[in-house]
């Protein structure tokens, strides 16, 4: 039974503008869910075990809403190209290697091991086109105790011969087979994953839309990341209103069914509004957008329009799994947007970046990413011992500092739905 | 006697475009200097002890040419303002605290401890206006085994009452006193440090120029970082040709005597050329330029003009001491320059960022930052154990990856002038 109490300095988001900061407080976990944060243990929970993390910050687990698991092996490499050339030169050759079960096992084990010890508790991951390797990844993730979604990737056009599915029908058939086999997993669920419009024929897009709809499955893909990519989509889909419309018209984004679109660097107000109208999350991946020279997404516009949003490491366009680092980078590039592009777009605040990495992104998974009553108890106990300070700091200062300074090792404990991961 | 041989996978820059990558090679150290890198131990060095780092990368120590030691305590805090407001709100109040010897001792000890275990072997550091605290910092650094320059800061105008020297003469007198007392140190040398033009009266600038000239001392300051700052300098110095001219005309930059100017975000070709003509180093601090929303320095122009240059952590405008991370950030923001500002400014290559952090910046300290014969032997033995890879990588790939992925703890050993630091 996941019933316990965590004592410590507790921080979580209420809204995009509001942090709750509770020093020396008690977080109640009952059946894996938060019952709230209190200054004293309420009477009816007095019999719960108290995990004493006094002096340590406790924050919600982070959500990584865009990560390419098979690219983890080459993170930090090949940072010298733009998207389309980078895919052909680095991503596709590496991903094609996952057809070999031994390689998939070895490389995915490294990814899952590092993800387990990262600040991420919830994820949306791309796999490859290979059913068996995708199931391997799901098994490893299931075993890690983390929760999230994995997608077998679909690609049936404009891809190299060595890494392309034979036809739309073959791709759909493989997807159905994969979905059936995915039923063995509980913490890790399947998500429909057309790579991006250029890689998928209309028949494949429509077929995937139908599968998503029939099975009530979420969808993840890429949107408006790079100028060359956007021009290409215009050529490929001359009848679409814009890039987002290629997903909507195939039934891959629709009201009432969640979908994820990574990047949205060049999405204008109309495209963002279409995402909002179709319950689509805009995922900000600032490091990748720098590394492959895509640009900077105007997140302030997303906030103004009120589209759902979250953060992504986008390994291996991004090199690091830490969503704390992504928060910092989101804040940094938002300052460059303000400085270099548009002074109407105010830079992001500490409150906003923390909310994006916790409650905003977590909402994709249900009641996740906060400690308000009823939320699943995903929690990180932070280790600040590597960052001593000569003066006393407020809790808000400690949180800001931790986001800027933390490295992979700076976690003491991690819980997912009240289960201790380490 | 610092005579030994290091065996390992050795990487160093020859030029901004040329990396030398020597797998399983021998780096000869005689009297603290490199005698070169060889595939076999030359006959006359056969009697030297071999330090066997087989399988580990060995690279030159890194140079941090712009770091504010007293700001280290609040790195990662207050990332919500531009330069001038940030100085008033965060930097000046914190720096003023160093008038208390006990606080200076405590806070500088934390800085020096972390710098010692960072990848930095050579530094140019700002202290505060306080002579005694500055000497304390120098003593701690001397004791660490690292080498570099420390400057007592000069400020006699436009500064808060609680953190401003009484007059130009008082500031100059304190500087002379500090210089005399600095003679006790050998590895740590003084550098003349007017904070920046707005903080220094003409009399102070001229007096410092004279002291630098008489004592053959280098100079460090700030240049063209922020638009508000530049406008202010124009108002304060209506007769100067540009910001750089305020230093040149005071004798603070001159041919044949090295000086350092941090940032140069908005320096145009003319200003860069004036720096080049006056043996001035342009120091790139990309993280700070994002954090306090200054912009992005056009480093490609610096390379084209051929001005001396280097990298700076700029703690605490920057939050982290790692110049490896600065290298990565330099590459990232150079892609944003190309993407968002000017497609004539090609993004920086791996070779260029590594050269900036080693040989280019190291040249400020003499023959430092390479393993070519005659260079002082500053070396890092790198630890890649936290980043396993499922395939074999080339040495160049390992280096690129290490720059992107390394954290503070990923060093096995560090040598300065052939002395083992750890």
């Amino acid at each position: 039974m996941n019933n316990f109490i965590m004592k410590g300095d507790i921080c979580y988001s209420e809204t995009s503008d509001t942090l709750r900061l509770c020093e020396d407080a008690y977080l109640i976990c009952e059946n894996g869910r938060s019952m709230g944060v209190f200054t004293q243990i309420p009477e009816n929970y007095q019999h719960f075990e108290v995990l004493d993390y006094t002096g340590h910050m406790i924050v919600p687990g982070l959500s990584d809403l865009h990560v390419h698991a098979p690219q983890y092996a080459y993170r930090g490499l090949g940072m010298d190209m733009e998207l389309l050339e980078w895919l052909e030169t680095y991503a596709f050759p590496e991903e094609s290697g996952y057809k070999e079960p031994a390689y998939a096992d070895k490389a995915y084990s490294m990814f899952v091991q590092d993800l387990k010890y990262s600040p991420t508790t919830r994820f949306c991951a791309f796999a490859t086109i290979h059913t068996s390797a995708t199931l391997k990844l799901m098994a490893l993730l299931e075993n890690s105790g983390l929760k999230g979604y994995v997608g077998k990737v679909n690609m049936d056009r404009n891809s190299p011969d060595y890494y392309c599915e034979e036809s739309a029908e073959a791709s759909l058939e493989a997807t159905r087979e994969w979905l059936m086999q995915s039923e063995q997993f509980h913490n890790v669920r399947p998500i429909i994953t057309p790579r991006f419009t250029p890689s998928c024929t209309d028949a494949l897009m429509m077929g995937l839309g139908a599968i998503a709809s029939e099975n009530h499955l979420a969808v993840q893909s890429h949107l408006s990341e790079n100028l060359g990519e956007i021009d290409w989509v215009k050529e490929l889909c001359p009848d679409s209103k814009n890039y987002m419309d290629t997903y909507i018209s195939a039934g891959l984004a629709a009201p009432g069914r969640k979908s994820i679109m990574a990047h949205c660097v060049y999405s204008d107000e109309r495209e963002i509004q279409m995402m909002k109208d179709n319950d689509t999350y805009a995922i900000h991946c600032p490091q990748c957008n720098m590394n492959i020279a895509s640009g900077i997404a105007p997140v302030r516009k997303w906030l103004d329009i009120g589209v759902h949003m979250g953060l992504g490491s986008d390994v291996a366009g991004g090199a690091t799994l830490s969503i704390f680092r992504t928060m910092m980078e989101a804040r940094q590039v938002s300052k460059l947007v303000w400085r270099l592009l548009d002074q109407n777009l105010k830079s992001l605040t500490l409150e906003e970046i923390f909310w994006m990495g916790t409650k905003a992104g977590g909402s994709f998974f249900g009641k996740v990413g906060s400690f308000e009553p009823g939320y699943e108890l995903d929690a990180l106990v932070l280790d600040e011992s590597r960052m001593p300070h000569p003066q006393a700091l407020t809790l808000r200062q400690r949180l800001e500092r931790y986001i800027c300074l933390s490295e992979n090792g700076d976690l003491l404990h991690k819980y997912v739905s009240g289960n201790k991961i380490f």
Side-chain angles (χ1 to χ4, degrees), chain A residues 10 14 20 38 51 60 64 76 88 127 198 208 221 276 279 359 389 399 410:
Chain A
I10 298 170
E14 287 179 326
R20 263 208 79 194
F38 302 89
L51 308 174
D64 184 349
E88 293 278 342
L208 290 172
S221 197
K276 185 181 176 188
D279 289 325
K359 195 175 181 184
H389 194 279
L399 181 64
D410 297 326

Side-chain angles (χ1 to χ4, degrees), chain A residues 58-355:
Chain A
I58 302 171
V59 303
L62 309 188
S63 288
D64 184 349
L65 287 152
H66 188 58
V67 54
H68 290 266
Q71 296 178 7
Y72 188 64
Y74 72 92
R75 71 199 186 284
L77 293 174
M79 293 289 162
D80 52 355
M81 292 179 186
E82 279 194 274
L83 175 66
L84 300 177
E85 195 183 357
W86 181 87
L87 285 171
E88 293 278 342
T89 310
Y90 299 109
F92 294 162
E94 174 66 20
E95 289 189 20
S96 73
Y98 287 72
K99 69 177 174 293
E100 297 300 333
Y103 186 73
D105 193 1
K106 185 178 178 184
Y108 278 149
S109 295
M110 290 177 175
F111 167 71
V112 173
Q113 175 71 5
D114 285 359
L115 191 70
K116 177 175 173 175
Y117 290 96
S118 81
T120 295
T121 52
R122 306 274 170 159
F123 55 81
C124 287
F126 278 56
T128 62
I129 62 174
H130 314 101
T131 302
S132 125
T134 303
L135 291 165
K136 178 74 209 173
L137 173 62
M138 294 173 86
L140 289 164
L141 284 165
E142 178 87 9
N143 198 42
S144 75
L146 308 186
K147 290 188 172 180
Y149 294 91
V150 168
K152 178 204 121 38
V153 173
N154 300 93
M155 302 160 68
D156 73 337
R157 69 169 173 183
N158 295 322
S159 306
D161 288 345
Y162 65 82
Y163 190 53
C164 188
E165 294 172 291
E166 269 179 37
S167 64
E169 195 35 60
S171 178
L172 293 167
E173 183 51 39
T175 303
R176 284 186 284 260
E177 168 67 19
W178 162 66
L179 288 173
M180 218 169 59
Q181 294 204 41
S182 294
E183 285 173 20
Q184 66 189 291
F185 304 115
H186 304 286
N187 293 333
V188 181
R189 303 300 308 141
I191 183 168
I192 296 298
T193 307
R195 182 173 207 109
F196 67 158
T197 302
S199 297
C200 301
T201 58
D202 291 355
L204 179 53
M205 295 276 271
M206 300 291 289
L208 290 172
I211 289 176
S213 170
E214 283 155 28
N215 298 276
H216 309 286
L217 293 173
V219 172
Q220 61 181 351
S221 197
H222 297 91
L223 182 69
S224 299
E225 175 177 2
N226 165 288
L227 293 170
E229 169 211 20
I230 294 168
D231 286 345
W232 197 15
V233 170
K234 267 188 209 145
E235 271 174 46
L236 291 166
C237 310
D239 298 331
S240 291
K241 290 183 207 127
N242 55 20
Y243 196 164
M244 184 62 199
D245 188 42
T246 66
Y247 296 111
I248 296 170
S249 58
L252 288 160
R257 192 154 44 72
K258 286 177 184 166
S259 60
I260 278 181
M261 290 293 154
H263 304 302
C264 312
V265 172
Y266 294 97
S267 298
D268 58 14
E269 280 82 351
R270 182 188 189 203
E271 190 158 87
I272 302 290
Q273 186 63 48
M274 286 165 72
M275 295 174 72
K276 185 181 176 188
D277 296 342
N278 287 279
D279 289 325
T280 301
Y281 280 63
I283 307 307
H284 186 36
C285 308
Q287 188 180 120
C288 169
N289 297 157
M290 287 192 276
N291 285 340
I292 57 174
S294 299
I296 309 177
V299 175
R300 176 61 57 201
K301 280 190 201 167
W302 305 359
L303 282 160
D304 289 346
I305 293 173
V307 68
H308 281 299
M309 67 183 73
L311 296 174
S313 65
D314 196 16
V315 161
T320 159
L321 285 176
S322 170
I323 295 295
F324 284 123
R325 179 142 169 191
T326 308
M327 290 180 193
M328 184 184 180
E329 290 162 342
R331 199 168 180 196
Q332 290 174 321
V333 299
S334 78
K335 293 174 186 173
L336 294 178
V337 166
W338 172 81
R339 170 86 278 154
L340 304 176
L341 298 180
D342 185 347
Q343 301 229 341
N344 293 314
L345 300 178
K346 253 193 332 167
S347 60
L348 300 177
T349 64
L350 174 64
E351 282 72 11
E352 286 165 340
I353 56 170
F354 187 71
W355 171 81

